[in-house]
């Protein structure tokens, strides 16, 4: 249980009934705010997709998808989604969404290779969203404007939760701070990426780290990203690489940084080819999704995912994501959490 964070004297501020009420309140309120802020319509999403089409999210490129054969399709193999990063872009084209508008959906996934701890579960639920943009909006400035709108929706949700349950006190700062991963490396050269995130989030409270996936001055990326959805290699108007990033906050309950969202402007034709080459994944050009993108049949877009259980965890001041969602946990983790006042559902 070395990865389990054990906050001293932790005590849930809400009982199980209030927690379930809070989860419902937060999910309903936030998705409506997100939809309004970004002009998104709700669509229905798949739990699984066919293997071999290049539609499933590859995350860091090493996670195994949960698979099963489909009896009525000659045992063709289906994969449970990791996320809907690429599926959404196909849907934008299918729905003929205009620039300035987009879609969002409830994404449910199974990530069998996840290392289980306070923040990571086998079960992933998030609001996956995607919006059509113009070529002129493929800029850091536009990326920041979207981040600020999402953060505004998060803060409104925090206000509602604290008004509804008076024992909860708000802690998110009014503004979110922007910093590039290269700048972060220069600020904390002796620290690991995770330690750098902890330091910057403790300093500012809420941070958007720009440029995740591309190689930094030390020869390493800040974190891994698949080559075929976020654009992490384009040199932006500020002279740095990357049109993507993560929304992070400082979470006092656990005394660490806490990722709420991964998002970014998506690859265009040139960025896709460049990133496939940089990643040694050029064979993917033959896949269905990649061929449609390279043929110009998919719109330019920006998108991301916002963790539903994670957002509820933060809004309700919980110490373990298992206090929010039902999942499978090792028996020794359940025992340790129960002993510390963190009953896992």
């Amino acid at each position: 249980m070395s990865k389990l964070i054990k906050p001293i004297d932790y005590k849930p501020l809400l009982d199980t009934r209030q927690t379930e009420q809070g989860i419902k309140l937060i999910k309903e309120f936030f998705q409506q705010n997100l939809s309004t802020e970004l002009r998104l319509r709700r669509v229905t999403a798949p739990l699984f997709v066919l293997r071999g089409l290049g539609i499933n999210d590859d995350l860091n490129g090493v996670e195994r998808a949960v698979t099963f054969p489909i009896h009525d399709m000659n045992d063709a193999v289906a994969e449970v989604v990791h996320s809907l990063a690429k599926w959404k872009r196909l849907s934008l084209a299918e729905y003929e969404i205009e620039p300035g508008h987009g879609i969002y959906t409830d994404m449910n996934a199974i990530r069998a290779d996840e290392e289980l701890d306070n923040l990571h579960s086998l079960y992933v639920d998030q609001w996956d969203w995607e919006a059509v943009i113009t070529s002129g909006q493929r800029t850091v400035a536009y990326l920041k404007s979207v981040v600020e709108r999402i953060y505004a929706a998060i803060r409104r949700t925090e206000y509602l939760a604290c008004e509804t349950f008076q024992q909860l006190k708000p802690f998110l700062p009014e503004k979110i701070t922007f910093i590039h991963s290269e700048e972060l490396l220069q600020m904390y050269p002796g620290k690991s990426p995770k330690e750098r995130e902890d330091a910057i989030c403790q300093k500012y409270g809420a941070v958007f780290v720009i440029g995740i996936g591309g190689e930094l001055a030390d020869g390493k990326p800040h974190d891994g990203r698949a080559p075929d959805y976020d654009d992490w290699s384009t040199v932006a108007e500020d002279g740095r690489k990357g049109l993507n990033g993560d929304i992070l906050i400082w979470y006092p309950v656990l005394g660490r940084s806490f990722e709420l969202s991964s998002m970014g402007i998506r690859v265009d034709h040139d960025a896709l080819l460049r990133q496939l080459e940089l990643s040694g994944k050029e064979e993917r050009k033959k896949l269905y999704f990649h061929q449609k993108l390279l043929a110009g049949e998919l719109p330019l877009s920006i998108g991301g995912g916002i963790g539903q259980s994670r957002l509820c965890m933060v809004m309700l001041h919980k110490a373990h994501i298992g206090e929010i969602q039902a999942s499978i946990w090792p028996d020794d983790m359940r025992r340790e959490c129960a002993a510390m006042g963190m009953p896992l559902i």
Side-chain angles (χ1 to χ4, degrees), residues 18-192:
Q18 291 172 318
T19 298
E20 293 291 357
Q21 290 175 335
I23 291 170
K24 181 175 184 293
L25 177 76
I26 290 163
K27 287 189 175 184
E28 290 179 349
F29 181 82
F30 179 78
Q31 68 178 323
Q32 185 60 52
N33 271 258
L34 180 70
S35 172
T36 302
E37 280 285 357
L38 302 184
R39 293 194 285 185
L40 309 174
R41 74 168 71 156
R42 190 188 182 283
V43 299
T44 300
L47 176 60
F48 39 81
V49 294
L50 282 174
R51 173 190 281 178
L53 297 180
I55 298 175
N56 203 356
D57 180 0
D58 296 295
L59 300 176
N60 292 321
V62 297
E63 294 87 352
R64 300 169 300 169
V66 175
T67 64
F68 60 92
I70 305 172
H71 180 271
D72 272 3
M73 295 177 62
N74 296 317
D75 283 346
V77 177
E79 295 181 340
V80 176
V81 297
H82 278 145
S83 85
L84 298 171
K86 289 177 277 190
W87 176 88
K88 292 176 297 181
R89 199 162 176 185
L90 292 166
S91 297
L92 290 178
E94 181 179 343
Y95 286 111
E96 299 181 340
I97 303 295
E98 296 293 324
H101 299 266
I103 60 174
Y104 81 95
T105 189
D106 288 297
M107 190 283 296
N108 297 284
I110 300 172
R111 296 181 181 173
D113 289 333
E114 202 73 83
E115 293 186 15
L116 306 180
D117 58 23
N118 301 66
L119 305 185
H120 297 91
S121 170
L122 299 174
Y123 170 64
V124 178
D125 57 341
Q126 63 185 32
W127 291 285
D128 252 325
W129 65 274
E130 199 85 9
V132 178
I133 61 174
T134 65
S135 58
Q137 291 173 321
R138 300 189 80 256
T139 66
V140 172
Y142 184 74
L143 174 66
K144 289 180 177 180
S145 72
V146 175
V147 170
E148 287 172 338
R149 281 183 274 167
I150 294 172
Y151 186 67
I154 291 172
R155 288 195 69 239
R156 282 195 294 272
T157 306
E158 181 189 46
Y159 176 80
L160 175 65
C162 293
E163 282 292 294
T164 303
F165 304 106
Q166 296 290 309
Q167 61 268 50
L168 303 177
K169 304 302 177 186
F171 62 87
L172 293 176
E174 181 179 352
K175 302 292 184 182
I176 188 167
T177 298
F178 295 91
I179 189 166
H180 194 278
S181 56
E182 185 66 60
E183 185 181 357
L184 195 56
L185 172 62
Q186 302 308 318
M187 289 176 65
Y188 306 106
K191 296 182 181 293
S192 68

Side-chain angles (χ1 to χ4, degrees), residues 57 59-60 111 120 126 129 143-144 146-148 150-151 154 176-181 184 193-194 197 200-201 205-214 221-226 229-232 242-250 256-266 302-307 310:
D57 180 0
L59 300 176
N60 292 321
R111 296 181 181 173
H120 297 91
Q126 63 185 32
W129 65 274
L143 174 66
K144 289 180 177 180
V146 175
V147 170
E148 287 172 338
I150 294 172
Y151 186 67
I154 291 172
I176 188 167
T177 298
F178 295 91
I179 189 166
H180 194 278
S181 56
L184 195 56
K194 178 65 184 65
E197 290 178 354
I200 199 69
C201 286
V207 179
F208 185 75
V209 179
I210 303 171
I212 296 180
H222 181 80
D223 199 359
R225 283 293 187 276
Y229 56 99
D230 280 357
D231 187 337
W232 42 258
L243 294 171
N244 69 339
D246 289 344
I247 296 176
L248 306 168
I249 64 164
W250 178 255
R256 57 158 288 170
S257 59
F258 192 112
E259 180 187 323
L260 288 177
S261 175
S262 174
M263 58 173 287
I265 291 171
R266 307 310 198 185
I302 183 173
I306 302 165
R310 283 197 176 192

Side-chain angles (χ1 to χ4, degrees), residues 276-305:
L276 289 177
E277 181 179 1
L278 287 170
S279 303
K281 304 289 186 181
E282 292 178 280
E283 74 280 0
R284 293 188 186 182
K285 289 187 289 186
K286 300 176 182 178
L287 298 176
Y288 172 76
F289 170 84
H290 303 71
Q291 287 187 342
K292 289 186 74 69
L293 196 157
L294 293 172
E297 297 175 10
L298 303 181
L300 299 174
S301 68
I302 183 173

